[in-house]
Amino acid sequence: MQEEKQPIFKNKRTGDEMYYFITRLYPYCRSITGNGTRQTLADISSIIPLAITEVPTGTKAFDWEVPKEWNIRDAWIKDSNGKKILDFHQLNLHVLNYSIPVNKQVPLTELKKHLYTLPDQPELIPYKTSYYEEKWGFCMSHNQFSQLKDELYHVYIDSSLETGSLTYGELFLKGDTDDEVLISTHICHPSLCNDNLSGIAVATWLAKQLTNQKLRYSYRFLFIPGTIGSITWLSRNEKDVKKIKHGLVITLLGDSSDFTYKRSRKGNALIDKTVETWLKTSGKSYTISDFIPYGYDERQFCSPGFDLPVGCFTRKPFGQFPEYHTSADNLTFVKPEKLEESLNALSDIIEIIEKNETYINLNPKCEPQLGKRGLYEKTGGTNDSKITQLAALWVLNYSDGTNSLLDIASRSGLPFSTILKAAEALKECKLLKNDRN
Amino acid sequence: MQEEKQPIFKNKRTGDEMYYFITRLYPYCRSITGNGTRQTLADISSIIPLAITEVPTGTKAFDWEVPKEWNIRDAWIKDSNGKKILDFHQLNLHVLNYSIPVNKQVPLTELKKHLYTLPDQPELIPYKTSYYEEKWGFCMSHNQFSQLKDELYHVYIDSSLETGSLTYGELFLKGDTDDEVLISTHICHPSLCNDNLSGIAVATWLAKQLTNQKLRYSYRFLFIPGTIGSITWLSRNEKDVKKIKHGLVITLLGDSSDFTYKRSRKGNALIDKTVETWLKTSGKSYTISDFIPYGYDERQFCSPGFDLPVGCFTRKPFGQFPEYHTSADNLTFVKPEKLEESLNALSDIIEIIEKNETYINLNPKCEPQLGKRGLYEKTGGTNDSKITQLAALWVLNYSDGTNSLLDIASRSGLPFSTILKAAEALKECKLLKNDRN
Amino acid sequence: MQEEKQPIFKNKRTGDEMYYFITRLYPYCRSITGNGTRQTLADISSIIPLAITEVPTGTKAFDWEVPKEWNIRDAWIKDSNGKKILDFHQLNLHVLNYSIPVNKQVPLTELKKHLYTLPDQPELIPYKTSYYEEKWGFCMSHNQFSQLKDELYHVYIDSSLETGSLTYGELFLKGDTDDEVLISTHICHPSLCNDNLSGIAVATWLAKQLTNQKLRYSYRFLFIPGTIGSITWLSRNEKDVKKIKHGLVITLLGDSSDFTYKRSRKGNALIDKTVETWLKTSGKSYTISDFIPYGYDERQFCSPGFDLPVGCFTRKPFGQFPEYHTSADNLTFVKPEKLEESLNALSDIIEIIEKNETYINLNPKCEPQLGKRGLYEKTGGTNDSKITQLAALWVLNYSDGTNSLLDIASRSGLPFSTILKAAEALKECKLLKNDRN
């Protein structure tokens, strides 16, 4: 593999670009429907050519139906002096997501029934939703809650919950085959950066990298509201999902923790082996966990009626970091370099998906004499020539038609890219051929 | 599962009842034959309707034959002053079990050839037997042994070893099918509480709990002398043992150590998975070990000619606690609450055997909308509703016809009872059906 | 197994004999061809009847060809005063193995291009070779190198690199069957004791032990130059290698580290299970590692075109000890008792290969009554009778036609020799028969 080919999958300083994109999207009040989500998709469309789908309220989707569309313009609480003590425009987490409108004066005891706080994290404001029960509510810090006086408050939410539609975005990149790789990320969370502006940014830049490339697989990127979005998409694309050969739900990619891979329900799908081998040979710490039927949209892709080979790639998983679903999941919680590291990881993983093949050793009886072919010099400078020599021996020994390059990377503990480099050098020397040739 | 059904398998304060039963049986001088064993079976029969079998001395049982029956009425050693220095009536362990009669005066040097002690545990009296070599002997503490003076001793054992029979008890509870669950416990040890009055008591109360219940399986409880008892039973029931689908040898259930499960010879029988899953999800510390061809009567049930799916459920295994086969395995070594915990464990295990089924998710494409069915409220109070929700997701995702509830409990790490509760709630909601329907 | 049979596989005080043999061979300047290697084979032939093969320079061997033969008579460096500062006759490692002749005066700057040292181990002289690139060179300690003055040096190597042959030795011991056990060791290293005079000595004494024994398998011992030797041998014996049922490359057997077994490429061949079980039950610390396609001649035997069941048995593997390929791998680095321990280990392993069988329990229903057959007395003194009793129970329980004695040793954790002893006693009692009878 020549150095010039590298920029296909790698891109420098994109971390800053992605971080800037997140700062732009952070203030929008996203939800599972509504204009905040629509604006988010419009912004993504400025970078990659998204197809936007609007699915009307009431549309059936398996056991579910598309809910009313929610929009919100303003919300606040004023104390008895008319002073705003809480303001939606300062932070959209302050409003219970999907709150119905309200405009009335309530005493403290009544107000408290509509307030959500985090007693164990008294400085943080929680993120709460009520998609399927019509009610109104506010979220505030427990510190503020503790100091509320026993007086009359004016609560005001200028929202609407009306017939409308659910919006999602989709990008399809046609490759050499109809076999698809699915990359899905959720777009329904309001001002939360890691969950999931990080996933939105990384998916967008990954799609951008792959655009206009010659690809073996076709790629389908989904930017969808969590749960109802993936259920809706699956119900509208039921006949075609069998084309999905590998898939990843990506989210929580901007914080500073290690990567985590949650296996597909199958547990031994090629995507599972691919990500696990990449992690194992990455030199980084990581966690791999078995499929569990809760988490993100892999729940739907891996429901037993579909059982798609879709894993979930994150850093620290949902619920396992203190900033999760709080106002602390903000612009200081995600880091440009971590976004970039995540993007590079996914680029590497896609490189494996694209380039993995099974080769046949054309000189299977004893080792070939590598030295006389100048193989060591051919494969790079002196620094990594020993590694490449090892990689060549691994490729030769295991290329008997039963082991792919990914299998060999996994067994040897050498990165796929090193194994690929060795395989390409051996192919040039006529010591190796593609299994399919 | 409704709360009212619980008492089928659970019973409160039975620990005290079982402990009281042990105190009653403790003084009997049991052996592999004889009246002590017969009396033990009679006492058990006062609680559950045992069928008693007498097998005559000399009856062939595979490579073995039923030995002569042993009975003992009195035994002592007197010193040269005529003072009893050892008395069978104080503790029946003092006599070598199966000792032939003796009545003579012997010097110390001769006496010592017939004395058994524990030099490393000098305060304890050992339990020793000589079933297949006719001899006489006494067991005493090493402290006493060390102080024996060089004088003439009068040794007296009023025992008999004569043609008679071997006695065992059996309780058969007919269930919906002829498939049997075997519960076997040994009854041949004299005044030793954990080994095995604990097993006798727990087996008796477990049988009592199951009596008059509607059961899916038939249950066969064996109260038999160790080794020769199980060999004799197997030789008389050879044609029917194929009905045994699951089995446990239970013993050593009254001390304060953790549970240990020794797998059947098959190693992956359903009884193995059942007990292992129960242990794994019990929240208790435990040990699981592979089958080894020594231990209790699982040796015979798992001999290669039968290879029955019979494991062994104990607390600390034989030989691994200092009180084992000594006078310290007494009434203070077993605890009512530990007996009860053991009984409850076995009740739970039988609940799994009885209730395990494979279900089919009737809404396999994406998750069903649980909230609209009031499933969370249906399955209990707020405290455990989150657990039940998780359990419901596990049951839904894995009920594809290839995973039983037990498989799902094992995979999820949730107790079978929680998984069962979720499955029953989902069945009520028409989201699940039995695989066989 | 009777005690008198033991000397077949065990031999006392052979450690000293092997060590003495190493001291004799240490000074020879071995290489992949030439008279040092020839002399080594001649010395081995004084102990076991080796067949010597000479393969002419230029003979094709798969992708390789036999190189020119290298011989060396003298070599030195003199300083400007005519003083020898380095002398081949003091240590043959001083000359780059396969150096072409040279005889000229060179300044220090030129000389340095031909010097090899170990900066991190400044007192040691490295072992270096240049088989396939014609050049000259010397090896010296880095300490000496650092003190070289800027003057004119006289370099002299009286070597020849000419058409000749590659020499290897072979011993074939015919057993009852044509199935072969291959033992291969490399003979191409000059004055290095652990790598590989230790392997040469142990292979020689192992062959000596097996000579004139009645053997089930045929045994083939190879004493060959590394890489090119095994490739040449394989190319000349391609049709017959399928007879090789088990094989070991043995080397690095004289130092004081634990044993290491590197599995065959197959990973689960019988030789793998044999060596692993022996290690597991040896009571010694050890390491087992998966096959990797570098190391010694197992690389060739396990190339995918052959994929023979050949593992590699060593102490600390190549490159993992500081003395590796340096002048410190000398006569003080190897120990007689370690050589003997290695020989005994291989004797035990061959005992397993020879004696492993699958038996059938003739009394499979329940345990037989061992006591009445005097089995305990029959199998040895009181000390090990409990162990033997356990071994008998293991053999009886698992001898159902699916488990060999090796399987039973592995499962029980008891040494194969103990299991074998129990099996032979049970066979005498008619409780066991050979599966094939």
Side-chain angles (χ1 to χ4, degrees), chain B residues 290-302:
Chain B
D290 276 331
F291 180 75
I292 52 173
Y294 40 97
Y296 290 100
D297 285 324
E298 69 277 8
R299 292 162 66 153
Q300 312 310 330
F301 297 122
C302 296

Side-chain angles (χ1 to χ4, degrees), chain B residues 95-241:
Chain B
V95 176
L96 177 72
N97 203 287
Y98 254 68
S99 268
I100 55 175
V102 68
N103 184 4
K104 64 177 171 184
Q105 294 207 313
V106 292
L108 180 60
T109 50
E110 174 66 14
L111 177 61
K112 281 189 169 178
K113 295 175 186 165
H114 297 268
L115 294 182
Y116 300 86
T117 71
L118 295 167
D120 293 340
Q121 295 172 296
E123 302 190 354
L124 304 184
I125 299 144
Y127 160 57
K128 293 284 175 190
T129 69
S130 184
Y131 301 140
Y132 298 102
E133 185 184 354
E134 296 199 356
K135 60 184 180 181
W136 61 269
F138 293 92
C139 300
M140 63 170 61
S141 75
H142 202 69
N143 285 345
Q144 183 177 14
F145 176 87
S146 306
Q147 289 162 15
L148 290 177
K149 290 181 194 148
D150 190 2
E151 56 186 322
L152 212 56
Y153 291 91
H154 186 174
V155 293
Y156 178 73
I157 298 178
D158 177 15
S159 68
S160 58
L161 194 56
E162 294 165 348
T163 293
S165 59
L166 174 148
T167 317
Y168 64 77
E170 193 167 358
L171 173 66
F172 181 70
L173 301 174
K174 182 74 183 77
D176 290 346
T177 68
D178 287 338
D179 289 345
E180 290 184 17
V181 177
L182 176 76
I183 306 290
S184 179
T185 200
H186 62 277
I187 56 167
C188 50
H189 286 32
S191 291
L192 296 169
C193 281
N194 200 36
D195 185 8
N196 186 34
L197 290 173
S198 70
I200 292 170
V202 171
T204 301
W205 261 255
L206 186 64
K208 187 182 164 199
Q209 282 186 349
L210 294 179
T211 301
N212 297 324
Q213 297 301 332
K214 179 166 171 47
L215 297 165
R216 175 174 165 189
Y217 284 95
S218 296
Y219 285 77
R220 188 174 300 277
F221 286 81
L222 295 185
F223 296 83
I224 50 176
T227 305
I228 185 63
S230 54
I231 293 171
T232 301
W233 185 86
L234 280 164
S235 76
R236 293 166 57 91
N237 295 276
E238 196 178 343
K239 286 180 186 163
D240 288 329
V241 296

Side-chain angles (χ1 to χ4, degrees), chain A residues 62-65 132 231 234 238 265 291-294 299-300 302-306, chain B residues 361 363-370 372-373 390 393-394 396-398 400 403 411:
Chain A
F62 301 121
D63 193 48
W64 303 62
E65 64 180 56
Y132 299 102
I231 293 171
L234 280 164
E238 196 177 343
R265 183 179 185 270
F291 180 75
I292 53 172
Y294 38 97
R299 291 162 66 153
Q300 313 310 329
C302 297
S303 58
F306 292 111
Chain B
N361 178 347
N363 186 87
K365 292 185 177 171
C366 298
E367 293 170 7
Q369 197 177 353
L370 297 181
K372 72 179 181 189
R373 292 181 173 82
L390 288 188
L393 292 174
W394 278 104
L396 287 167
N397 193 292
Y398 285 96
D400 58 2
N403 301 290
R411 188 185 284 262

Side-chain angles (χ1 to χ4, degrees), chain C residues 107-385:
Chain C
L108 179 59
T109 49
E110 173 66 15
L111 177 61
K112 281 190 169 178
K113 295 176 187 166
H114 296 269
L115 294 182
Y116 300 86
T117 72
L118 295 167
D120 293 341
Q121 296 172 295
E123 302 190 354
L124 304 184
I125 299 145
Y127 160 58
K128 292 284 174 189
T129 68
S130 184
Y131 301 141
Y132 299 102
E133 185 184 354
E134 296 199 356
K135 60 183 179 180
W136 62 268
F138 292 93
C139 299
M140 63 171 60
S141 75
H142 201 71
N143 285 344
Q144 183 177 12
F145 177 87
S146 306
Q147 288 162 16
L148 290 177
K149 289 180 195 149
D150 190 2
E151 56 186 324
L152 212 56
Y153 291 91
H154 187 174
V155 294
Y156 178 74
I157 299 178
D158 176 15
S159 67
S160 58
L161 192 56
E162 294 166 348
T163 293
S165 59
L166 175 149
T167 318
Y168 64 78
E170 195 166 356
L171 174 67
F172 181 71
L173 300 173
K174 183 74 184 79
D176 290 346
T177 68
D178 287 338
D179 290 345
E180 290 184 17
V181 178
L182 175 75
I183 306 289
S184 179
T185 201
H186 62 277
I187 57 167
C188 50
H189 286 33
S191 290
L192 296 169
C193 281
N194 200 36
D195 185 10
N196 186 34
L197 290 172
S198 70
I200 292 170
V202 171
T204 303
W205 261 255
L206 187 64
K208 187 182 163 198
Q209 282 187 350
L210 294 179
T211 301
N212 298 324
Q213 297 301 331
K214 178 165 171 48
L215 296 165
R216 174 174 166 189
Y217 283 95
S218 297
Y219 285 76
R220 187 174 301 276
F221 286 81
L222 296 185
F223 296 83
I224 50 176
T227 305
I228 184 63
S230 55
I231 293 171
T232 301
W233 185 87
L234 280 163
S235 75
R236 294 166 58 91
N237 295 278
E238 196 178 341
K239 286 181 189 165
D240 288 329
V241 296
K242 62 179 180 296
K243 292 181 189 164
I244 297 172
K245 303 305 179 195
H246 318 287
L248 289 175
V249 168
I250 65 174
T251 170
L252 305 176
L253 290 168
D255 70 289
S256 301
S257 59
D258 295 333
F259 290 122
T260 295
Y261 180 63
K262 174 183 164 180
R263 293 186 175 112
S264 76
R265 182 179 185 272
K266 294 173 182 295
N268 61 353
L270 193 52
I271 186 66
D272 300 321
K273 182 157 199 176
T274 297
V275 181
E276 289 174 41
T277 300
W278 182 81
L279 286 168
K280 199 172 82 171
T281 61
S282 69
K284 303 178 198 287
S285 297
Y286 62 90
T287 302
I288 292 173
S289 61
D290 276 331
F291 180 75
I292 52 172
Y294 38 97
Y296 291 101
D297 284 323
E298 68 278 7
R299 291 162 66 153
Q300 313 310 329
F301 298 122
C302 295
S303 58
F306 291 112
D307 199 17
L308 295 173
V310 175
C312 181
F313 189 75
T314 64
R315 290 176 178 274
K316 188 72 79 180
F318 82 99
Q320 294 186 22
F321 52 94
E323 298 83 357
Y324 175 74
H325 279 198
T326 75
S327 52
D329 182 1
N330 58 24
L331 287 165
T332 66
F333 185 54
V334 299
K335 308 288 179 200
E337 65 273 21
K338 294 299 170 181
L339 293 165
E340 180 154 336
E341 187 190 39
S342 299
L343 178 63
N344 289 342
L346 287 159
S347 294
D348 284 353
I349 288 164
I350 286 179
E351 181 185 49
I352 301 177
I353 292 172
E354 285 285 308
K355 298 288 189 184
N356 187 34
E357 285 200 65
T358 299
Y359 286 90
I360 300 280
N361 177 347
L362 294 169
N363 185 87
K365 291 183 177 173
C366 299
E367 292 170 8
Q369 198 177 352
L370 298 181
K372 73 180 181 189
R373 292 181 172 82
L375 191 87
Y376 305 149
E377 295 73 18
K378 197 168 288 181
T379 55
T382 48
N383 278 350
D384 64 349
S385 71

Side-chain angles (χ1 to χ4, degrees), chain A residues 102-163:
Chain A
V102 68
N103 183 6
K104 65 177 170 184
Q105 294 207 314
V106 292
L108 180 60
T109 48
E110 174 66 14
L111 176 63
K112 281 190 168 178
K113 294 177 188 165
H114 296 268
L115 295 182
Y116 299 87
T117 71
L118 295 166
D120 293 341
Q121 296 172 294
E123 302 190 354
L124 304 184
I125 300 145
Y127 160 57
K128 292 285 174 187
T129 69
S130 183
Y131 301 141
Y132 299 102
E133 185 184 352
E134 297 199 355
K135 60 184 179 180
W136 61 269
F138 293 92
C139 299
M140 64 171 60
S141 76
H142 202 70
N143 286 344
Q144 182 177 14
F145 176 87
S146 306
Q147 289 162 16
L148 290 177
K149 289 180 194 149
D150 190 2
E151 55 187 322
L152 211 57
Y153 291 90
H154 186 174
V155 294
Y156 178 73
I157 298 179
D158 176 15
S159 67
S160 58
L161 192 56
E162 295 166 347
T163 294

